[in-house]
Amino acid sequence: MSMAQSQKKQKKLSLRGQDPFLEREKLKYSNPLPSREFIMQILAEQGVPLFPDELAQMLSIHADEQAFFERRLRAMGRDGEILINRKGAVCVAQKLDLMRCKVSGHRDGFGFAIPDEGEGTGNDIFLPEREMKKVMHGDRVMVRPSGLDRRGRQEGKIVEVLEHAVTKLVGRIQHERGVWVVRPEDRRINHDVLIEPGGEGGAQDGQVVMVDILQQPDAYHQPVGRVAEVLGNYADPGMEIEIALRKHDLPHRFPDDALEQAQATPKKVRKKDWTKDRVDLRDLPLVTIDGETARDFDDAVYAEKQGKGFRLVVAIADVSFYVQPGDALDREALTRGTSVYFPRRVIPMLPEALSNGICSLNPDVERMCMVCDMQINAKGEVKKYKFYPAVMQSKARLTYNQVWDWLQNGADHPMLPHVKDLYALFKILLTARGKRGAIEFDSVETQMIFNDKGKIERIVPIVRNDAHRLIEECMLAANVCSADFLQKNGHKALYRVHEGPTEEKLENLRNYLRLVGLTLGGGDKPSAKDYGKLAEQIHGRPDAPVLQTMLLRSMQQAVYTPDNAGHFGLAYEAYTHFTSPIRRYPDLLVHRAIKAVLKGEKYKPGKWAALGVHCSMTERRADDASRDVESWLKTYYMRDKIGEVFQGKISAVTSFGVFVLLDNVYVEGLVHISELGKDYFHFKKELQAIIGEKSGIQYRLGDMLTVKVMSANLENAQVEFALVRDEQSPAGGASEEGGSAKPSRRRRGGQSAGAAKGGQPVAPSISASPEAAAPVEPVSKPAGLPAPPQGRRRPAKQPSAPAVAREQAAQQSQPASGRRGAGKPESAAAAKPAASQVKPATEPVASAAPVKSSRQASNRQAGAKSPAGKPQAGPKQPSARTPSQGRSQPAKPVAATPPTSATPTPSAPPNEPPGQAKSASRRPQGRRSQPPQAETSAQPVARKRGASKRRTGEE
């Protein structure tokens, strides 16, 4: 070829023809456009933004291709590859220092932008409320980092919204000033949706509705929508589930084609469905063991003694026989990912014709199944196993409690010998589990008992017995064999991966364990056996639940992924889910992969990694929806318990307060930081505690607290508590010992209110009575002098009979309006008898006249006037050594409620032993009591009597 011909050919080859991905595009389109990669290459080579017309001219885009080319540019913009600026020029997103992110909203108005490339790394970008006005939770955006906020967090600015995730939402419609608005149930969406005129759809004020979003929000406008469906009233039975389904976008209606396929599915096993490879196990005494309320039975078990070991047969419903890849049922099952279990209702992954019918291993009927047949030696090791399809017939439908009763008390049932064989095998497997080092925690699961109206009547714990663990060990063995089978045959699958703790979480755990005198072995990479040893050490300790919570929080969340990294918690090198294909889509994928290996084929469902991400998401979605419903039901349950007092333990510590789990009630609520006491409290993550800045008082994970139910807000499913203190103090009523005190140290000399009654309501503290909270006359004091802290007072000596008589005479001589202490149950002096002299609550005691008389004398000495502007008249002040004034020793602080009141009493020596029935509250060192005349108090005496009773243990 001559030089001229070569140059001519190169001249004919246009820029568009130089696309390295042209052949790929030709396979996808009859008239291919330039590929995305080539467009990005051209933009990068030019080095400046280009207008779409310029780019189209460079790439030889014809007029009839222009619309399709612009569509490709918009798609690239949605994916965050390019950005069209305000002048309309096309820019490379990476050159603009922009990050493609997903928005995660917060109920308080702010949010976070989670980078696509750094998801899960903790490098989230903080979005202030002004930025969140432009978007909703879940939107995909381009964000430019804009510096650090006042707390040192990376802050960002939303440059462009790539994709709106919310097109419809559920909320409550309200009519305000002639305008209909809908407030979303998802508190992560902080927008009130304006309803277009006439778009309320017949909804009434306060009802729950579904809204179609017609106009998305921006920096200056609220979203606009139209009511698509009226669900009903907020408190209707079952409404909490309807809201959760829509709030979490859970598919809950099967499409018509899926229902048609389910109806066409055979109702029984047909002879023509038997293939040569399907084994007949109808005579094998397989049984199902499930809960009393279970309706779908996807696993059956059988064990028999063989030499020194056992044969274990685990038969699992063969869902893959009826649900083929790509059919209507398969598409819907993939979308759902898992069954969702609510109290009193289940949203199944498959229609009931399959989940409760042909795929359920019901007793005395033939069913298709996939079998894992194992040989287990005396050490609990699986020596051999094989998988095969079979036909079975369950011989009995047993329950956990039934089996456990048989094992304890015996029974006249033909299946009892087989159950005993299963139990003998279970003991061997349990021993092997311990040697393997699998982590096992004691946990309390609860069950809600409902009334006829669909509301909670009571919440009871579920007792987990060895029958539960027996089935669990059998399922674990089958799951491990399935993982090993696929791994050895080199077939891809979704593994259930649970990785060990991250460096940060491990460091936090070790710091906490150091505080309680424990250590975790294993160095920088502890194994499950190290965790298991520590779990054994903490078993039986009073703080075991707290330590167990810390161990759980240090570990990562289990996920589905084709990249096997082992299961840390169970101490397995490889683990899959094989045993529940009726309710989990990953199990169905594993069944198909095993069948493909048995046939010498390859199962290719698509991108395994994307399937793993989707299945992990559907699992979390189901858990979140179930948790929302349970929280709402528990909040509704606590509505008629407002004002009652319970005892519980701190279950979580946050920067805004502590969560308390009520004993024997199993309801969790928040004690807000403002309710902890009169102090500045700071959250210490490494200690899992919230600590008072001045007092040093600590509220730590696991501390016992007595709380009063203050509110049960159905709007946000939040129960709020307030502390019930033995005697209120400036920083929450907790004691201070050595500069650091915990609330649990407050109670000495006896139990506090409610401590003896567990989770049952107890009598409210007297300090919370209206009488105790009544306003108090201000006491004259020098300007600018703060009210002296109050303190608990040790028992004072009883005044002599002449002194009491003089005080009573003084009280009777006062005007009625001036005797605010009259009618009180006891005086300041009589309120603090010795522990052996405490009087019953109903016994008459001395009046509060000595306190009033003492205050009058002090005011007269200081030249003070009464609130009416006239000098107070009264009898002569008793001697300075009377019990109402006290010795000149440091006093102890209690809550200054009201702030102007303070009553002096003798303080306990600093080194007083803790066993005495005296104050557990200490005044910070260096603080001195005020002169006697400045410390008289008008504090309601009823509170003092209650405090005295609590110190001596009287109820």
Side-chain angles (χ1 to χ4, degrees), residues 587-764:
D587 301 53
L588 181 57
L589 294 174
V590 169
H591 276 232
R592 290 172 178 168
I594 291 175
K595 282 186 174 183
V597 172
L598 292 175
K599 294 177 181 178
E601 301 172 353
K602 288 288 185 181
Y603 172 54
K604 298 179 180 179
K607 294 183 179 179
W608 285 98
L611 282 171
V613 171
H614 174 75
C615 292
S616 300
M617 180 277 294
T618 57
E619 181 187 39
R620 291 192 299 269
R621 180 178 66 182
D623 291 341
D624 291 343
S626 299
R627 194 179 301 115
D628 278 0
V629 170
E630 289 185 7
S631 297
W632 192 94
L633 288 170
K634 288 181 178 180
T635 305
Y636 193 92
Y637 173 66
M638 296 299 290
R639 285 204 313 172
D640 59 352
K641 294 173 176 55
I642 294 175
E644 296 183 10
V645 178
F646 298 88
Q647 190 149 1
K649 296 184 183 69
I650 295 179
S651 57
V653 183
T654 69
S655 59
F656 52 85
V658 297
F659 286 90
V660 177
L661 182 65
L662 302 183
D663 294 344
N664 301 330
V665 182
Y666 309 105
V667 174
E668 190 177 58
L670 173 68
V671 179
H672 193 263
I673 192 169
S674 60
E675 295 285 349
L676 295 179
K678 199 172 182 181
D679 202 342
Y680 294 106
F681 285 93
H682 304 284
F683 173 53
K684 301 295 183 182
K685 185 177 180 179
E686 66 278 7
L687 303 178
Q688 285 297 302
I690 193 165
I691 303 175
E693 179 180 297
K694 183 177 181 180
S695 63
I697 295 170
Q698 296 185 11
Y699 294 92
R700 301 181 63 171
L701 199 66
D703 282 352
M704 293 290 297
L705 294 178
T706 302
V707 296
K708 181 178 180 181
V709 182
M710 303 303 294
S711 67
N713 189 345
L714 293 177
E715 297 287 337
N716 54 13
Q718 180 76 59
V719 180
E720 293 197 1
F721 300 142
L723 290 183
V724 176
R725 305 177 178 87
D726 289 346
E727 185 174 344
Q728 299 192 0
S729 67
S735 65
E736 182 182 356
E737 297 181 12
S740 176
K742 294 197 292 186
S744 56
R745 298 175 184 166
R746 293 176 300 181
R747 301 174 177 85
R748 295 183 177 174
Q751 292 177 319
S752 66
K757 299 184 181 182
Q760 299 300 322
V762 296

Side-chain angles (χ1 to χ4, degrees), residues 747-800:
R747 301 174 177 85
R748 295 183 177 174
Q751 292 177 319
S752 66
K757 299 184 181 182
Q760 299 300 322
V762 296
S765 170
I766 296 178
S767 63
S769 65
E771 184 180 5
V776 182
E777 281 187 302
V779 180
S780 299
K781 60 181 182 291
L785 182 65
Q790 300 183 39
R792 293 187 182 179
R793 297 165 291 279
R794 73 178 188 180
K797 297 180 180 180
Q798 296 288 350
S800 61

